[in-house]
Amino acid sequence: MRAEDMRDQIESMFLASWRDYSEYGWGYDVYGPIKHTFHNIPRGNQPLGWIIVDSLDTLMLMYNSSTQYKRKFKAEILKSEEWINDVLDFDIDAEVNVFETTIRMLGGLLSAYHLSDLLEVGNKTVYLNKAIDLGDRLSLSFLSSNTGIPYSSINLRSGQAIKNHADGGASSTAEFTTLQMEFKYLAYLTGNRTYWELVERVYEPLYKNNDLLNTYDGLVPIYTLPETGKFSGMTIRFGSRGDSFYEYLLKQYLLTHETLYYDLYRKSMQGMKKHLLRHSKPSSFSYIGERERGLKGGFSSKMDHLVCFMGGLLASGATDGLPFHEARNRPFFSFSPERKSDWALAKELTYTCYQMYNQTPSGLAPEIVVFNEGNTKRHGWWQSPSGDFFVKPHDRYNLQRPETVESIMFMYHLSHNSKYREWGAEIAKNFFENTCIDCSDPRLRRFTSLSDCITLPTKKSNNMESFWLGETLKYLYILFLDDFDLTKVVFNTEAHPFPVLDEKILKSKSLTTGWSL
Ligand code: DMJ
């Protein structure tokens, strides 16, 4: 397997999905590759740019490194830019989810700005202007409540914030703590401190009103009441609605050098190791389980595929993005038993997540697994060949999610161990073989989600998530790039790369941490 051949293959997969979307769904937010169905997310039917904006920086990275399709990628970048400039208009009289719109659209526009500048492709001001317009509209959500914690949704035209329609109006904890990188980068680019201050305000009530570091050991229940900042419910997990709270603690430190966030991240990792980390039977795979009834309640051995980002996160937190062979000689690493333990755990968790692919008949992981604690077997659950995990009938689906290849990519560039490229190549092949439609004809070939990755042939579902193009194929591609420097770049939670921000410029713009514990 030559890295160059792998890049060619991944470019071809990206272009197959892109060609199909361009032909049958161009401009629409939601696309179904099997039946060529499409629609927009906002009621009222104006597009948000979901697929085009989420994919743009993957097009740019592939354009930069492609040997076979360079011209094609450039043409597609310019076509997308024209659509963004001429058609995309965020003056939409409809409610949108603040978190999803921030990580995908604001994040996508900001990284397109960054890469357009760096790689000298396209007109960067188109992206920045749209990002400012969208950022201004989304930032009104922080005025939802007195605590500064936003409601879940906002009407992009009126600025009216709208509470979560379910869960007693509580906001998802991971959602309002996963806006900070985007708005801080926007503050840096524009010099407008308000963006920075608004996103930072959410932490003080969260930490102080819940006594988060002592009562919860740095771990968060997945819902929070915006009016009080108090948690609602007791479920604690690193999967859905919990995941990126932890991710953005570390990534704010990596992006902006604010050490408070590293300290908070460290507390959370200690909490995770104490309360959620276990090992499966019989092979002792490390995994991060859940506490559905709080820290004093019982342990659940369920793990979402979403948790698989943790290998990459722990590894970059251990070395600050430096390759391990450099970090291990530096005092910050060599004198830190905690960083060493994070590095070891990063390897273990990435291996576990690889096993979630390697052991299924399709070689692709299901949405959720339940690890074997010794007496876990249930009627009707599929059991992995090694016996270490189970899949419930409703959890057999696969949305072509990125988290495992994300961790594999980080582990490769931080360790230079070629086994990670082998794992990535295997998973890319399995996506190619088992999520493909009309595969034998290169002119019709395209890729889609699965409703069942356990049964062979796999059962396909009519849905292509934007993160297939925006994250999964991008991380697979970067895995096969040589010399990718992870000290220069921080990916937002939707895989949009932002440059590490210059400390002197941050200071000169008074962009510093505005609170303490
Ligand atoms: C993406 O939208 C983001 O990575 C988010 O943080 C969680 N999951 C999906 C992809 O799985």
Side-chain angles (χ1 to χ4, degrees):
M1 169 211 40
R2 285 173 52 222
E4 199 181 325
D5 296 339
M6 282 309 301
R7 291 201 299 272
D8 285 354
Q9 279 178 34
I10 296 159
E11 286 172 19
S12 302
M13 287 170 78
F14 180 95
L15 285 173
S17 282
W18 184 257
R19 177 207 52 75
D20 178 56
Y21 168 70
S22 301
E23 209 167 316
Y24 296 101
W26 180 249
Y28 284 92
D29 295 333
V30 179
Y31 181 60
I34 299 182
K35 299 181 183 160
H36 297 140
T37 48
F38 47 79
H39 64 92
N40 284 322
I41 292 171
R43 280 196 223 133
N45 206 25
Q46 250 179 280
L48 271 170
W50 221 244
I51 295 179
I52 296 174
V53 175
D54 222 7
S55 308
L56 191 52
D57 56 8
T58 310
L59 282 168
M60 289 180 175
L61 288 170
M62 290 184 174
Y63 155 77
N64 187 47
S65 303
S66 180
T67 45
Q68 52 171 357
Y69 300 120
K70 208 171 184 67
R71 274 222 211 127
K72 173 81 181 142
F73 283 117
K74 180 147 188 194
E76 297 305 317
I77 292 165
L78 297 181
K79 184 174 98 182
S80 305
E81 184 178 294
E82 196 176 307
W83 184 88
I84 289 170
N85 196 40
D86 300 349
V87 181
L88 185 59
D89 182 358
F90 292 120
D91 186 27
I92 302 175
D93 186 16
E95 113 184 33
V96 301
N97 179 282
V98 173
F99 158 77
E100 295 287 2
T101 311
T102 299
I103 64 165
R104 300 188 198 214
M105 297 304 95
L106 185 56
L109 289 165
L110 288 170
S111 65
Y113 167 81
H114 163 58
L115 290 183
S116 156
D117 189 32
L118 188 76
L119 309 177
E120 298 180 357
V121 61
N123 178 358
K124 63 181 179 175
T125 52
V126 169
Y127 308 124
L128 186 59
N129 289 341
K130 284 287 172 196
I132 294 171
D133 177 39
L134 181 60
D136 287 345
R137 291 170 191 277
L138 290 168
S139 62
L140 296 177
S141 66
F142 295 97
L143 309 178
S144 307
S145 68
N146 289 334
T147 60
I149 294 176
Y151 293 168
S152 306
S153 306
I154 189 156
N155 181 304
L156 285 179
R157 179 173 295 165
S158 68
Q160 169 86 42
I162 301 121
K163 270 192 188 178
N164 181 0
H165 297 292
D167 314 303
S171 297
S172 148
T173 309
E175 289 194 3
F176 70 82
T177 53
T178 309
L179 311 166
Q180 285 64 23
M181 283 182 66
E182 294 77 2
F183 281 93
K184 286 187 171 181
Y185 184 34
L186 191 59
Y188 179 86
L189 291 175
T190 60
N192 183 347
R193 276 176 55 195
T194 308
Y195 299 127
W196 182 291
E197 287 162 3
L198 286 173
V199 287
E200 227 188 10
R201 262 185 76 201
V202 308
Y203 286 113
E204 213 161 343
L206 195 68
Y207 275 87
K208 292 187 178 164
N209 299 355
N210 294 293
D211 191 23
L212 181 47
L213 295 186
N214 299 313
T215 309
Y216 290 91
D217 279 345
L219 302 175
V220 292
I222 58 173
Y223 290 108
T224 305
L225 296 169
E227 276 76 18
T228 59
K230 294 253 188 183
F231 293 130
S232 164
M234 295 163 100
T235 302
I236 290 174
R237 63 171 173 238
F238 273 56
S240 67
R241 300 185 184 281
D243 47 4
S244 44
F245 163 77
Y246 308 99
E247 182 181 355
Y248 270 33
L249 291 180
L250 179 71
K251 288 187 172 176
Q252 278 177 94
Y253 160 70
L254 295 174
L255 184 75
T256 63
H257 325 280
E258 298 168 89
T259 51
L260 172 63
Y261 293 102
Y262 181 81
D263 296 340
L264 298 177
Y265 165 77
R266 171 57 51 218
K267 282 297 259 185
S268 296
M269 293 307 105
Q270 282 165 359
M272 176 270 286
K273 288 175 190 171
K274 182 170 165 195
H275 298 285
L276 302 178
L277 184 62
R278 292 270 175 104
H279 301 91
S280 65
K281 301 254 183 337
S283 316
S284 201
F285 297 154
S286 302
Y287 68 93
I288 300 176
E290 304 187 358
R291 297 267 174 187
E292 285 156 12
R293 301 199 173 277
L295 296 184
K296 296 200 177 103
F299 176 84
S300 157
S301 65
K302 160 177 175 278
M303 188 173 99
D304 295 350
H305 182 276
L306 288 167
V307 180
C308 288
F309 77 99
M310 278 301 295
L313 192 80
L314 282 161
S316 36
T319 69
D320 279 9
L322 283 170
F324 175 72
H325 68 269
E326 283 183 44
R328 74 173 165 204
N329 300 320
R330 304 268 184 103
F332 81 87
F333 186 92
S334 57
F335 292 124
S336 168
E338 289 183 311
R339 285 183 185 252
K340 288 179 187 165
S341 136
D342 286 359
W343 177 255
L345 182 56
K347 289 194 279 186
E348 290 168 22
L349 289 172
T350 307
Y351 179 67
T352 301
C353 289
Y354 167 65
Q355 287 301 326
M356 285 162 59
Y357 284 69
N358 181 249
Q359 296 208 23
T360 70
S362 65
L364 295 171
E367 179 72 1
I368 303 170
V369 301
V370 178
F371 284 97
N372 190 355
E373 295 182 282
N375 53 357
T376 318
K377 196 167 174 60
R378 299 278 159 79
H379 182 68
W381 295 8
W382 179 86
Q383 186 166 18
S384 76
S386 74
D388 285 271
F389 62 89
F390 301 89
V391 184
K392 297 182 191 176
H394 281 107
D395 300 334
R396 290 171 159 228
Y397 62 99
N398 175 295
L399 298 177
Q400 304 175 296
R401 284 197 189 274
E403 291 76 16
T404 296
V405 294
E406 171 180 348
S407 285
I408 288 175
M409 182 282 283
F410 276 100
M411 290 311 301
Y412 174 73
H413 286 293
L414 296 177
S415 71
H416 295 146
N417 186 332
S418 59
K419 83 175 168 200
Y420 293 112
R421 278 190 165 172
E422 282 157 27
W423 295 357
E426 221 174 283
I427 292 173
K429 179 171 163 278
N430 297 332
F431 275 125
F432 185 88
E433 286 175 359
N434 290 319
T435 71
C436 198
I437 312 162
D438 290 334
C439 225
S440 52
D441 186 341
R443 287 163 311 165
L444 298 178
R445 183 181 295 155
R446 56 208 191 270
F447 300 91
T448 199
S449 297
L450 303 177
S451 58
D452 186 342
C453 68
I454 303 295
T455 311
L456 281 182
T458 52
K459 291 192 187 129
K460 316 278 188 298
S461 64
N462 184 35
N463 169 41
M464 180 189 74
E465 295 287 340
S466 67
F467 52 68
W468 165 242
L469 300 173
E471 293 196 71
T472 310
L473 289 173
K474 180 192 290 150
Y475 282 133
L476 276 170
Y477 193 69
I478 296 174
L479 172 63
F480 294 99
L481 288 176
D482 291 323
D483 308 320
F484 194 84
D485 185 349
L486 289 167
T487 61
K488 297 253 165 16
V489 86
V490 187
F491 292 91
N492 89 337
T493 192
E494 188 73 10
H496 296 305
F498 299 166
V500 169
L501 306 183
D502 185 309
E503 272 183 275
K504 282 195 201 121
I505 298 179
L506 283 166
K507 252 199 197 141
S508 72
K509 296 185 177 179
S510 305
L511 298 172
T512 50
T513 312
W515 70 289
S516 59
L517 275 168

